[in-house]
Amino acid sequence: MAKKTVQKKKDQNTASRFFEFMKRERTRFLLGVCLAFIGAYILLGQISFFTTGAADQSKVVNRYFLDLITQKQQISNWTGVAGAFLAEKLINQWFGIFSMLIPVYFILMGLKLMRVIKISAIRSFLLTVFAMIWGSITSAFLLSPLFGDSHIVWGGAHGQSIENILESALGLPGVLMVILLLLIIFIIITKEASMEFFRKLFRNPLKVNSSKDLIDEDFYYKEEIKEEDTDTAKEKKGFFGFFKKKKEEDNDPDENGEEEEPESIIPPKEKVKPIKPIDDEFEIVVPKDEEYIPPTPRTKEDGEKPSVPVNPNDELEDILPEGEEMEEYDPTKDLSSFQFPTATLLKIYDSTGKGVDMEEQNANKSKIINTLQNYGIEITSIKATVGPTITLYEIVPKAGVRISKIRNLEDDIALSLSALGIRIIAPMPGKGTIGIEVPNKDPQIVSMQSVIASRKFQESAYDLPVALGKTITNEIFMFDLCKMPHLLVAGATGQGKSVGLNAIITSLLYKKHPAEMKMVLVDPKMVEFNIYSRIEKHYLAKLPDAEKAIITDVSKVTQTLNSLTKEMDDRYELLMNAGVRNIKEYNEKFRKRRLNPLKGHRFLPYLVIIIDEFGDLIMTAGKEIEMPIARIAQKARAVGMHMVIATQRPTTNIITGTIKANFPARMAFRVTSQIDSRTILDMSGANQLIGRGDMLFSQGSDLVRIQCAFVDTPEVEGIAQYIGNQQGYASAFELPEFVGEAGEEKIGNIDLNDRDPLFDEAARLIVVHQQGSTSLIQRKFSIGYNRAGRLMDQLEAAGIVGPTQGSKPRDVMIADEYSLEQKLNSFN
């Protein structure tokens, strides 16, 4: 009995090793090459048969293949004895000339195994069989009577037999009707749009003079690039849609060389495909890649829309005759020839061969189980979901195990796995499991091209779509900036923050027309956003007197933010006069020409304000920067103004409570401490990331781990150059001019040109102590109250301290001594 058990295990191991060998990428590629060459050889022999078959027919008919080889017959076929023998069998004795579809099918399947094309094996097989059967009958019916004396049996033995039976039973008209019926059924099954053609044909037979509406695509092996994910779309694919799922139904190999298993074992919320379980306790899930569609250059639809005369004294809705509609206003008309950037401008990174490392997954599984067992924690199951850079291990502990006990083992599990840093999610939201995120030893690059070319992005209907990258489940992560409505980005130096900002800008450039969106770019470092200066006349906004659209001067930042607050107030006034609540309703009403431009109404583009190195601005300008930002963040959502601010120093004096309260959406790249992580996300986690674009995205209580898409500087340059070379507007979008309530050098009766000799020393004292107290100045400088009061008034006029707050000390507007020195130098 024991010997039988041992032998059975050996057989199972042998079979398992064989299947593992067959699943290897190299094995599949070699099989594909062999299959394609076999198909090409058979097809060449069949082509030669048409010219050499008559000479070879007497030598190969009623002969065995081995006899032909041993007798060394003189064969005229280009492919020798084997080609002549196969051509005779396939064409004359099988399905006639339509037998040529057999080698074509072999070639296609070979290319499929080589990953050259993506087609369904079962669907292609059924189409091939149907075409051969129909073609053999049709050839026997039409061609055999015309070329009866040829050496070719046009319909083959199969077609000739079926045609004779049908002709005896139905007659010649009946055979013709059967052939036409099968053809119509075949076309309708494979192409649903053909039904409309047949409707027109049956209604007006004489008006249909072209068949190009009937079959305008190669429905035999065309790779479908546009599928819908709804049940209705699956029905549209017809009968054969049952055999073709979202990517491939017939165990089509994924990017890692593995085959699909039935979807019933996958969590229903994730469109993923699991690899063969390693054992009864462990299941590896490889998330399914997003389906890609090649984006085509998008231009405004052709056709000019006539302008409509405007009555300057009335709203347009008052001058329209009742029941009559005017042509809609087109904001893109000025740049009607504008073309959106194409995905070819973005780099494709080769991920071939970077499949799932089964040894790594098995080793990590064993180490996690052993580490937990060492501390007396037993689990009932473990499953791995493999992402581009992170693998999520979901474990289910036995009843009675405290979650906090597992959470406290974070460092011990990281030590056993020799990992850069792991993160434990206990429990997983919406699941009865505990998640352990472990970095992959061989991470993959998530290219911006793969995100931009994805179906999810291309078919997105968001107002301001932003595609950041991919989640652990390989799904494209997108959000609508209008719904956020503002975004806070933070992370240590070199962790991917600038790349993340470029990904945000790139997403917007690929989806929004210059007439629909403008950007205000603030770059204190002077080098990050300079690359976008080429698109100034297309997408950027600036002050009327500004030389450059990219704002690098701190003084210009304050003016620009104040100008934006005025733009916000002006827009709210337009919305109030138009009787609408938000920019979407306003622009819709303006498009329908229900608002009079002569009364100040205009089309309002979205305004996206992106500020890099926010911490440097706060240190330099303090409250002068924070207050307008807070105003915009609190009110500007309804008028289409949205902010993205980024900092590499996420400390509480930079990201204040006012900022956090108005920026509900947060992007956190890797930071150095748990305190910084809590400052950004209100929870730990960002300090456990692995860097290089690894980030956490938070919106409310939801926290998603994402690998940010990588867009390199040459790619951004190419996009900017592509847009900049096209016709733009005469100048950048001009923001309204902002004039302060008081002069620059005098506030009230305080003249800053006549400062107290102790002014500089008093300012340094206040900033060092961060306390705006008149009594402090009295004590330190041994001066009277009146002089100390005058000094405090001068400090307020200079913007160093805030206004009086009764018995409380004044707020100090300058954060540090370096910023103060810059401020003092500006007065000299």
Side-chain angles (χ1 to χ4, degrees):
M1 188 68 181
K3 290 183 178 180
K4 290 184 178 179
T5 303
V6 172
Q7 184 62 35
K8 185 177 181 180
K9 288 185 177 179
K10 287 183 178 179
D11 294 341
Q12 289 178 346
N13 291 335
T14 302
S16 177
R17 285 196 296 269
F18 175 75
F19 285 120
E20 288 295 330
F21 173 75
M22 294 301 294
K23 287 181 179 180
R24 292 178 183 173
E25 179 70 17
R26 183 180 299 176
T27 304
R28 300 177 74 95
F29 189 86
L30 291 175
L31 287 176
V33 172
C34 294
L35 196 58
F37 269 81
I38 291 172
Y41 174 80
I42 297 174
L43 183 62
L44 184 61
Q46 289 178 321
I47 294 173
S48 176
F49 177 78
F50 288 97
T51 58
T52 63
D56 295 338
Q57 197 166 40
S58 60
K59 301 173 185 177
V60 298
V61 173
N62 298 326
R63 299 286 186 90
Y64 291 106
F65 180 67
L66 292 178
D67 294 340
L68 294 175
I69 297 176
T70 55
Q71 293 176 9
K72 298 182 179 179
Q73 295 283 348
Q74 295 295 324
I75 299 298
S76 302
N77 193 289
W78 304 337
T79 54
V81 173
F85 182 81
L86 287 173
E88 175 68 29
K89 288 288 184 184
L90 293 177
I91 295 178
N92 284 353
Q93 299 183 30
W94 282 23
F95 295 96
I97 58 174
F98 276 78
S99 295
M100 299 178 74
L101 293 177
I102 295 175
V104 171
Y105 178 77
F106 285 172
I107 294 172
L108 292 176
M109 291 304 100
L111 296 176
K112 172 185 170 67
L113 289 173
M114 295 160 62
R115 298 187 185 279
V116 176
I117 60 174
K118 293 181 181 179
I119 59 173
S120 167
I122 293 180
R123 186 172 188 266
S124 300
F125 174 78
L126 293 174
L127 291 174
T128 301
V129 171
F130 192 104
M132 282 196 304
I133 294 173
W134 177 85
S136 65
I137 298 172
T138 304
S139 299
F141 179 73
L142 296 177
L143 299 180
S144 293
L146 296 176
F147 308 100
D149 57 347
S150 173
H151 68 282
I152 302 172
V153 181
W154 298 98
H158 168 269
Q160 204 68 46
S161 301
I162 300 299
E163 194 275 336
N164 290 336
I165 295 172
L166 291 176
E167 186 174 343
S168 300
L170 305 176
L172 291 177
V175 176
L176 182 60
M177 294 180 69
V178 168
I179 291 173
L180 292 176
L181 175 62
L182 291 176
L183 178 62
I184 292 173
I185 292 173
F186 179 72
I187 293 174
I188 292 176
I189 287 176
T190 56
K191 184 173 178 59
E192 191 232 7
S194 60
M195 290 192 299
E196 187 62 31
F197 171 83
F198 286 115
R199 287 194 186 101
K200 294 178 182 178
L201 178 65
F202 296 143
R203 286 177 190 152
N204 303 297
L206 297 179
K207 290 185 179 181
V208 180
N209 55 9
S210 173
S211 62
K212 86 176 170 179
D213 293 331
L214 178 60
I215 306 175
D216 59 354
E217 296 174 356
D218 184 359
F219 54 78
Y220 173 58
Y221 62 91
K222 179 180 71 70
E223 176 185 355
E224 298 185 11
I225 61 173
K226 211 167 188 181
E227 289 184 19
E228 298 173 20
D229 294 333
T230 61
D231 294 335
T232 306
K234 291 180 180 178
E235 293 174 3
K236 287 183 179 180
K237 296 173 192 173
F239 173 76
F240 294 108
F242 173 79
F243 297 99
K244 183 167 182 176
K245 301 205 184 328
K246 178 137 177 125
K247 186 177 180 183
E248 297 293 330
E249 84 302 323
D250 54 320
N251 292 337
D252 183 33
D254 63 9
E255 294 301 322
N256 299 314
E258 302 295 341
E259 294 184 329
E260 291 186 6
E261 295 291 330
E263 293 189 359
S264 59
I265 65 174
I266 304 173
K269 293 179 71 176
E270 299 178 1
K271 297 181 180 179
V272 296
K273 47 185 179 181
I275 291 179
K276 179 181 75 65
I278 295 175
D279 53 38
D280 293 336
E281 294 181 339
F282 190 47
E283 173 189 349
I284 294 184
V285 177
V286 180
K288 196 171 186 178
D289 279 336
E290 289 283 334
E291 188 172 4
Y292 301 130
I293 57 176
T296 55
R298 297 158 47 217
T299 61
K300 191 185 82 62
E301 294 181 1
D302 294 331
E304 298 297 328
K305 299 182 179 179
S307 58
V308 179
V310 177
N311 187 337
N313 300 317
D314 299 306
E315 289 291 337
L316 291 183
E317 56 188 11
D318 297 332
I319 66 171
L320 283 176
E322 186 176 355
E324 184 175 333
E325 290 291 334
M326 298 178 68
E327 191 96 19
E328 286 192 3
Y329 169 76
D330 183 7
T332 66
K333 185 176 180 180
D334 290 339
L335 297 183
S336 59
S337 61
F338 178 81
Q339 291 188 350
F340 287 84
T342 62
T344 56
L345 298 171
L346 299 171
K347 185 177 179 181
I348 301 176
Y349 291 89
D350 184 18
S351 59
T352 305
K354 293 186 179 180
V356 176
D357 189 340
M358 302 299 292
E359 293 182 1
E360 178 186 352
Q361 302 305 324
N362 277 299
N364 287 348
K365 176 208 69 168
S366 301
K367 290 175 182 177
I368 291 172
I369 293 174
N370 292 336
T371 303
L372 294 175
Q373 287 177 346
N374 292 339
Y375 291 91
I377 298 174
E378 298 291 335
I379 62 175
T380 59
S381 67
I382 180 170
K383 182 180 78 170
T385 303
V386 184
T389 57
I390 300 294
T391 297
L392 172 65
Y393 296 90
E394 295 182 62
I395 62 174
V396 179
K398 283 189 175 181
V401 176
R402 289 181 177 273
I403 292 178
S404 59
K405 192 174 182 181
I406 298 177
R407 192 186 289 114
N408 292 335
L409 296 177
E410 194 168 71
D411 294 336
D412 300 279
I413 296 174
L415 179 63
S416 67
L417 295 175
S418 302
L420 178 63
I422 69 168
R423 194 169 73 101
I424 292 181
I425 310 169
M428 292 282 291
K431 298 182 180 181
T433 61
I434 295 174
I436 303 175
E437 293 178 346
V438 181
N440 296 336
K441 290 183 179 178
D442 187 17
Q444 299 181 20
I445 295 177
V446 176
S447 66
M448 197 68 199
Q449 190 274 342
S450 66
V451 175
I452 293 295
S454 67
R455 178 177 299 279
K456 187 173 184 179
F457 182 81
Q458 291 295 319
E459 298 182 353
S460 168
Y462 291 159
D463 293 320
L464 288 175
V466 175
L468 284 182
K470 291 186 179 181
T471 64
I472 289 179
T473 57
N474 253 1
E475 294 178 353
I476 302 297
F477 184 85
M478 286 185 60
F479 64 85
D480 189 353
L481 187 57
C482 289
K483 302 284 181 63
M484 293 300 101
H486 309 290
L487 179 63
L488 174 63
V489 184
T493 303
Q495 303 305 316
K497 180 167 49 64
S498 296
V499 173
L501 293 178
N502 284 331
I504 293 172
I505 296 173
T506 300
S507 301
L508 296 173
L509 295 181
Y510 267 88
K511 290 291 280 188
K512 303 305 292 183
H513 190 277
E516 300 171 329
M517 181 200 70
K518 302 295 180 182
M519 292 187 292
V520 176
L521 301 181
V522 179
D523 181 18
K525 288 198 296 188
M526 305 183 187
V527 293
E528 290 295 339
F529 293 154
N530 189 52
I531 197 171
Y532 296 106
S533 58
R534 288 174 175 265
I535 61 174
E536 175 180 337
K537 295 183 179 180
H538 297 81
Y539 284 102
L540 300 188
K542 67 176 183 179
L543 294 172
D545 59 342
E547 294 182 4
K548 298 179 180 179
I550 310 296
I551 304 164
T552 57
D553 187 0
V554 176
S555 61
K556 292 291 185 182
V557 174
T558 306
Q559 296 177 34
T560 302
L561 290 174
N562 288 326
S563 175
L564 287 169
T565 59
K566 187 175 188 305
E567 173 73 12
M568 176 184 69
D569 294 336
D570 292 346
R571 289 188 173 203
Y572 267 112
E573 188 174 349
L574 291 176
L575 263 62
M576 180 186 66
N577 294 336
V580 295
R581 299 179 59 185
N582 55 58
I583 187 174
K584 204 167 185 179
E585 295 176 4
Y586 178 89
N587 283 338
E588 183 64 24
K589 202 168 183 179
F590 191 85
R591 279 193 177 97
K592 294 184 180 296
R593 299 184 184 270
R594 301 296 178 183
L595 299 173
N596 193 337
L598 298 183
K599 289 190 174 182
H601 291 292
R602 54 192 169 92
F603 183 83
L604 300 178
Y606 287 102
L607 273 175
V608 179
I609 303 104
I610 302 178
I611 302 175
D612 195 14
E613 298 300 337
F614 176 68
D616 184 66
L617 296 178
I618 286 292
M619 290 181 60
T620 305
K623 298 292 182 181
E624 296 179 11
I625 295 289
E626 186 177 355
M627 295 311 294
I629 287 178
R631 279 203 66 207
I632 294 171
Q634 288 170 351
K635 294 179 56 180
R637 172 180 184 174
V639 292
M641 297 171 63
H642 305 277
M643 299 194 72
V644 178
I645 63 176
T647 179
Q648 63 180 354
R649 289 184 293 177
T651 55
T652 51
N653 63 329
I654 301 297
I655 305 176
T656 62
T658 304
I659 295 296
K660 289 179 65 175
N662 294 289
F663 285 77
R666 323 268 176 82
M667 276 173 57
F669 293 88
R670 189 181 183 215
V671 294
T672 55
S673 68
Q674 191 179 68
I675 296 175
D676 291 346
S677 177
R678 292 187 181 277
T679 303
I680 309 167
L681 302 172
D682 295 325
M683 64 182 74
S684 61
N687 55 307
Q688 298 165 318
L689 301 175
I690 63 173
R692 296 178 62 85
D694 187 21
M695 71 176 182
L696 292 172
F697 183 87
S698 169
Q699 185 185 11
S701 59
D702 297 332
L703 195 65
V704 184
R705 191 165 187 174
I706 304 165
Q707 178 60 39
C708 183
F710 179 68
V711 53
D712 205 357
T713 302
E715 298 175 68
V716 179
E717 287 178 345
I719 295 170
Q721 184 175 5
Y722 183 89
I723 296 173
N725 289 339
Q726 300 184 55
Q727 178 187 355
Y729 295 100
S731 63
F733 182 83
E734 286 194 357
L735 298 173
E737 187 174 358
F738 176 79
V739 180
E741 297 179 359
E744 292 290 333
E745 295 295 320
K746 185 178 288 190
I747 298 179
N749 295 322
I750 305 299
D751 187 358
L752 293 180
N753 291 321
D754 185 20
R755 299 188 299 275
D756 191 285
L758 293 176
F759 177 83
D760 290 0
E761 294 298 324
R764 294 186 183 97
L765 175 70
I766 292 297
V767 171
V768 168
H769 287 80
Q770 287 292 301
Q771 181 182 0
S773 170
T774 305
S775 60
L776 176 64
I777 297 177
Q778 282 184 271
R779 292 196 308 272
K780 291 295 182 180
F781 297 110
S782 301
I783 59 176
Y785 179 80
N786 291 338
R787 186 179 180 186
R790 285 195 301 271
L791 273 170
M792 189 60 71
D793 291 339
Q794 290 177 359
L795 292 172
E796 179 186 353
I800 297 173
V801 297
T804 181
Q805 303 183 71
S807 60
K808 295 181 180 180
R810 298 172 183 248
D811 289 333
V812 180
M813 302 300 186
I814 304 298
D816 53 39
E817 290 182 82
Y818 175 75
S819 304
L820 175 64
E821 293 301 326
Q822 288 187 321
K823 188 82 171 178
L824 294 176
N825 290 336
S826 66
F827 295 130
N828 297 329

